[in-house]
Amino acid sequence: MKPRNNRILFAMFAVLISASLVLTACAGAATTAAPAATAAPAATAAPAATSAVSTKGKVGIVLPTKNEPRWIQDETRFKEAFAKLGYGAEILFSEGDSAKEKANVESLISKGVNVIIITPQDGKAAAAAAEAARAAGIKVISYDRLILNTDAVDFYVTFDSNAVGAKQGQYLVDKATGAGNPLYLYAGAASDNNAFLFFEGAWKVLQPKIADGTFVIKNSSEAIALKDKATLTREEMAKIIGQITTNWDFNTAKNLAESNLTVAKATDKGNVYILAPNDGTSRSIADTFAADKDVTKYYITGQDAEKPSIQYIIDGKQSMTVLKDVRTLVGDAIGAAVAFLTGKTPAQTSTYNNGKFDVPAKPSDVITVTKDNVKQAIIDSGYYPATDFTGLP
Ligand code: BGC
């Protein structure tokens, strides 16, 4: 979302708030955003809303982990958005643990929230938490990752994850010339539905170039066995992901890359192409490949536009990332929450099947970022300040 649209959105919320709606800090909020002095609409709306706090709505947010800059980005953007509204919101982290996630949801239920925005740690395990919220009359918004196998999901705000994978695949295809280019595949956690969507999107683009010999897969016998199949079933993808998963973990990614390189011969290296699923794992895998004396050059993908990866791109250590503008996702999530709190239904533009039903959804566009457009896409767009980086082109 462009900053201008953001302002319009916040102005809309401010009007809503002063009229009837409250997004309030829950009691004992972990992150209570004081009304921002500079946020004019929210600051003026706050006093009128305060009196309505107890009778209107409360929103709770549950994010998966603080160990990845990606989710700190979301926390920061939620805080900024709620601060502009003049309110805090309770943001809880699940520390990569579904049991902690369930406890977080139960804590929010006991605090009387009306809407829970949740990124499931494990898509299937989160169904129980969503059902507990539903039983308490709470609206559940699945945020970025889809909660699976339950009808207790009211809305899904996300990025177009298939497009993320397709952009990663396309980047590698555009860089490859000739035949026999070594290709190393890595994926996210099998417990995350997005890992399948990313891989599916990448496979769609890479597979014809694997089938025609442009690329040769070096680290997955399951992917090699399926190389002539344009569209994979979920079970087939699960078999491949089982061999190439990073589990969204930097160390797992590093260890897997190391063991792949140990097994590979010098002739499997040279100028290599690496599908890395996100920025955190990309940095780990890139460092591992860079340290191998038989790797002369590598192209590696990523996603999330994490600050350390933007610096890696500037420094030529990571080739690309996919910008998923978290300001947009936060705006969509708050917009959906506001709709529910005011008795409306959020506007859907798509649906995603979660194994139980077609969940109404709003997916957003994503952008490829390389050294060539990093200044324009990341700095000029106001996503991060130039002062956070060194050596910007
Ligand atoms: C998100 C990515 C993130 C990954 C690991 C995915 O579900 O869409 O942005 O990098 O999880 O946390």
Side-chain angles (χ1 to χ4, degrees):
M1 181 179 298
K2 295 192 182 75
R4 199 179 130 265
N5 294 341
N6 246 336
R7 280 199 297 276
I8 292 169
L9 187 65
F10 291 132
M12 268 168 44
F13 291 154
V15 170
L16 274 170
I17 283 170
S18 53
S20 64
L21 161 75
V22 175
L23 289 165
T24 179
C26 301
T31 56
T32 307
T38 50
T44 50
T50 309
S51 59
V53 163
S54 55
T55 56
K56 303 297 177 183
K58 294 182 186 178
V59 179
I61 298 160
V62 182
L63 296 174
T65 176
K66 279 196 176 193
N67 289 342
E68 298 171 37
R70 158 70 217 260
W71 304 109
I72 303 291
Q73 274 194 57
D74 296 74
E75 181 193 32
T76 306
R77 303 300 188 184
F78 267 118
K79 282 186 187 171
E80 283 170 5
F82 280 108
K84 280 187 183 153
L85 289 168
Y87 292 92
E90 182 148 4
I91 305 177
L92 303 174
F93 281 87
S94 305
E95 294 162 19
D97 175 359
S98 293
K100 172 85 178 153
E101 177 180 273
K102 180 99 189 308
N104 282 340
V105 168
E106 278 159 3
S107 146
L108 292 170
I109 294 172
S110 71
K111 287 173 181 167
V113 301
N114 305 86
V115 177
I116 294 180
I117 296 169
I118 174 168
T119 302
Q121 170 58 31
D122 174 313
K124 289 181 188 156
E131 281 157 18
R134 165 72 58 86
I138 295 165
K139 295 288 186 190
V140 175
I141 299 172
S142 212
Y143 179 86
D144 194 285
R145 297 180 184 166
L146 189 55
I147 301 170
L148 300 176
N149 296 349
T150 177
D151 58 12
V153 186
D154 295 286
F155 200 69
Y156 180 34
V157 293
T158 184
F159 294 101
D160 182 343
S161 295
N162 236 280
V164 171
K167 286 191 185 298
Q168 294 172 336
Q170 192 61 51
Y171 179 86
L172 297 178
V173 167
D174 289 347
K175 293 293 171 191
T177 52
N181 296 289
L183 177 65
Y184 291 79
L185 302 172
Y186 297 94
S191 58
D192 176 4
N193 188 54
N194 283 349
F196 288 81
L197 299 178
F198 300 142
F199 188 80
E200 186 179 45
W203 185 260
K204 201 168 47 197
V205 177
L206 290 171
Q207 184 274 332
K209 295 291 178 184
I210 298 166
D212 77 4
T214 303
F215 291 118
V216 180
I217 300 167
K218 295 295 178 185
N219 68 331
S220 167
S221 57
E222 296 286 358
I224 293 168
L226 291 161
K227 76 181 174 54
D228 292 318
K229 205 157 174 244
T231 307
L232 302 178
T233 64
R234 189 154 177 121
E235 289 65 35
E236 288 166 339
M237 282 191 282
K239 282 187 184 165
I240 300 174
I241 291 172
Q243 289 186 323
I244 61 167
T245 184
T246 61
N247 214 16
W248 293 135
D249 177 71
F250 311 156
N251 283 325
T252 307
K254 179 174 178 284
N255 293 339
L256 181 60
E258 275 172 2
S259 67
N260 290 160
L261 287 170
T262 303
V263 172
K265 297 190 284 292
T267 48
D268 297 327
K269 300 178 186 175
N271 187 8
V272 304
Y273 296 77
I274 309 165
L275 178 74
N278 75 346
D279 283 352
T281 59
S282 182
R283 294 191 299 278
S284 291
I285 297 167
D287 290 348
T288 307
F289 274 77
D292 189 300
K293 65 176 179 19
D294 294 321
V295 173
T296 45
K297 187 172 168 62
Y298 62 84
Y299 296 95
I300 189 165
T301 61
Q303 71 165 299
D304 292 333
E306 290 184 350
K307 276 184 195 171
S309 278
I310 296 301
Q311 189 61 56
Y312 260 48
I313 288 173
I314 296 166
D315 296 342
K317 287 156 59 174
Q318 183 177 325
S319 315
M320 64 87 82
T321 187
V322 180
L323 170 63
K324 311 201 300 187
D325 191 328
V326 171
R327 295 170 299 185
T328 304
L329 199 60
V330 162
D332 288 345
I334 295 178
V338 166
F340 285 130
L341 288 169
T342 51
K344 300 193 187 95
T345 305
Q348 73 181 70
T349 56
S350 187
T351 59
Y352 284 75
N353 193 281
N354 77 340
K356 186 87 173 189
F357 80 117
D358 290 334
V359 184
K362 182 165 189 278
S364 296
D365 290 343
V366 295
I367 298 169
T368 297
V369 179
T370 66
K371 203 169 184 167
D372 291 341
N373 70 343
V374 67
K375 191 174 167 299
Q376 172 230 325
I378 299 293
I379 310 299
D380 299 349
S381 70
Y383 202 63
Y384 297 137
T387 47
D388 286 350
F389 307 102
T390 55
L392 268 165

